[in-house]
Amino acid sequence: MEENLNITIDPACLQEPPPAAEVIKDLDVFGICLYSILTFMSTLSLVLYLEVCVYVYRNLPYPKKTAIIWINGAAPVIATMACFGMWIPRAVMFTDMTSNCYFAVVVYKVLVLMIEEQGGSDSFLKRYSGETFRINTGPCCCCCMCLPRVPLTRRMIFWLKLGSLQYAILKTVLSILCVILWTNGYFDLSDLEITGTAIWINPFIGVLTIISLWPVGIVFMNTHDELRSLKMIPKYAMYQLVLVLSQLQTSIINILALNGSIACAPPFSSQARASMLSQQLMIMEMFIITLVNRFLYRRIYAALPLDGQGDNEDNKKMCLHDAQLEHAV
């Protein structure tokens, strides 16, 4: 005996995210309170970040202050973009692109900060001259224990910086390409067919991410003992936490939505509801990280001692004298 099973799907579950006016109209008392609290959190995160920027700009030298301002801005920028995405669900593609592009630059700035905290590239090279760095670190080669240790040279510093910088550049280019394709209907995260563009672009971005994180991990694993007095370990932990929450957590929630584990709730489809949940979680998490970063960065740390301090002062005077002579000529 055959039974006909008629499965009906709510048309609202297949629609695109609702406009902002419809979201505001459907809010109940709990929704108004929730949206108000999350908006206040994101606004306060941005205000605290601006206050830290003023403090860092006035009290720290260049280029260290530029790196710190970029790194501190990761959590507030992500929280602000998540707030826009929460209120305007149809703008999530643009808010996510902005957050991801900003964090791509932060990955490079973390590497720059660890080098600048030790006096810059020249001092960093002099401090570790004659030493070798272990490169079997995450996320690329943490299991490859047979990899040899590599001596630190100026060429190696160049490749470490280039490895992180490529992600900042290519991630921005690919994000703009994804937005262009999305506006024309050619980019859809739910399209997992071999002919879809998302199935090709997203894994490539993942490979670029892993490559960019590797140089940062190499420098940190080989220098974190010297940077312990500068609280670099908790700073690096906060950077890693932002990475996990903004990339891995969002990907897991989107995968659950694609598998149907997150039910639709009209006017939100399953994917729109998952995106809304991700934005709300992100605001709360980034607000807490902003508070922790303010405690870590809004202070003056004693500079690391440099080897051969007297020689360095003499060399600086000689270089200044030579520069004056060259300018006079």
Side-chain angles (χ1 to χ4, degrees):
M1 182 177 180
E2 296 182 356
E3 294 182 359
N4 294 326
L5 298 178
N6 295 324
I7 301 176
T8 59
I9 300 177
D10 192 337
C13 294
L14 303 176
Q15 294 177 358
E16 62 181 3
E22 188 173 350
V23 172
I24 298 174
K25 184 179 66 175
D26 292 342
L27 288 178
D28 53 7
V29 177
F30 174 77
I32 293 174
C33 294
L34 177 62
Y35 274 52
S36 299
I37 293 174
L38 294 177
T39 303
F40 174 76
M41 284 184 175
S42 62
T43 304
L44 184 58
S45 298
L46 192 59
V47 172
L48 292 176
Y49 167 63
L50 294 177
E51 191 269 338
V52 172
C53 288
V54 173
Y55 177 84
V56 170
Y57 184 80
R58 291 178 177 177
N59 294 278
L60 293 179
Y62 177 86
K64 185 191 301 184
K65 62 183 178 183
T66 304
I68 292 178
I69 289 174
W70 271 96
I71 296 171
N72 268 273
V77 167
I78 294 175
T80 303
M81 291 298 104
C83 185
F84 282 123
M86 180 183 67
W87 284 102
I88 312 173
R90 292 187 177 181
V92 168
M93 186 70 182
F94 299 94
T95 57
D96 287 349
M97 181 199 74
T98 304
S99 299
N100 293 333
C101 292
Y102 187 95
F103 188 77
V105 180
V106 169
V107 174
Y108 171 70
K109 290 299 181 178
V110 170
L111 176 65
V112 171
L113 178 62
M114 288 189 289
I115 295 177
E116 291 299 328
E117 289 286 14
Q118 302 185 67
S121 298
D122 293 336
S123 298
F124 183 76
L125 183 63
K126 183 177 180 180
R127 183 186 297 271
Y128 297 99
S129 62
E131 298 185 19
T132 56
F133 275 23
R134 52 180 290 241
I135 60 175
N136 54 337
T137 61
C140 283
C141 304
C142 54
C143 298
C144 302
M145 304 304 295
C146 60
L147 290 178
R149 298 178 68 93
V150 178
L152 182 66
T153 60
R154 192 172 299 275
R155 180 180 293 273
M156 180 181 176
I157 295 177
F158 169 77
W159 284 111
L160 289 173
K161 289 184 176 181
L162 183 62
S164 293
L165 183 61
Q166 55 83 22
Y167 179 57
I169 298 174
L170 296 179
K171 174 64 177 177
T172 303
V173 173
L174 291 175
S175 296
I176 296 175
L177 176 62
C178 290
V179 170
I180 295 174
L181 296 175
W182 175 75
T183 55
N184 289 276
Y186 296 119
F187 185 85
D188 185 6
L189 292 176
S190 61
D191 184 11
L192 302 180
E193 299 293 333
I194 194 66
T195 56
T197 55
I199 199 66
W200 293 98
I201 295 179
N202 287 339
F204 182 65
I205 293 178
V207 173
L208 296 179
T209 305
I210 293 175
I211 294 175
S212 68
L213 296 177
W214 190 27
V216 182
I218 291 175
V219 175
F220 175 77
M221 292 303 297
N222 289 276
T223 63
H224 67 275
D225 289 335
E226 288 78 7
L227 299 174
R228 191 178 298 272
S229 62
L230 304 177
K231 302 295 183 183
M232 184 55 68
I233 294 178
K235 290 176 182 178
Y236 188 80
M238 288 298 103
Y239 146 76
Q240 291 279 59
L241 188 58
V242 174
L243 170 67
V244 171
L245 294 177
S246 63
Q247 305 295 325
L248 186 60
Q249 175 182 269
T250 303
S251 300
I252 292 175
I253 294 177
N254 290 333
I255 292 173
L256 292 176
L258 292 176
N259 291 336
S261 300
I262 298 179
C264 69
F268 292 98
S269 63
S270 178
Q271 294 182 23
R273 188 161 175 249
S275 177
M276 181 67 62
L277 176 62
S278 176
Q279 308 297 331
Q280 294 173 351
L281 288 175
M282 202 74 66
I283 293 174
M284 294 184 288
E285 295 160 350
M286 294 301 130
F287 174 72
I288 297 174
I289 293 176
T290 300
L291 297 178
V292 177
N293 280 342
R294 185 177 186 274
F295 170 76
L296 292 173
Y297 287 96
R298 197 189 182 282
R299 54 188 299 186
I300 303 297
Y301 295 93
L304 295 178
L306 298 177
D307 296 333
Q309 185 70 29
D311 295 339
N312 287 340
E313 294 296 332
D314 294 339
N315 290 335
K316 289 180 180 179
K317 293 179 180 179
M318 293 179 61
C319 291
L320 179 61
H321 179 68
D322 293 341
Q324 292 175 347
L325 290 178
E326 182 179 356
H327 179 71
V329 175

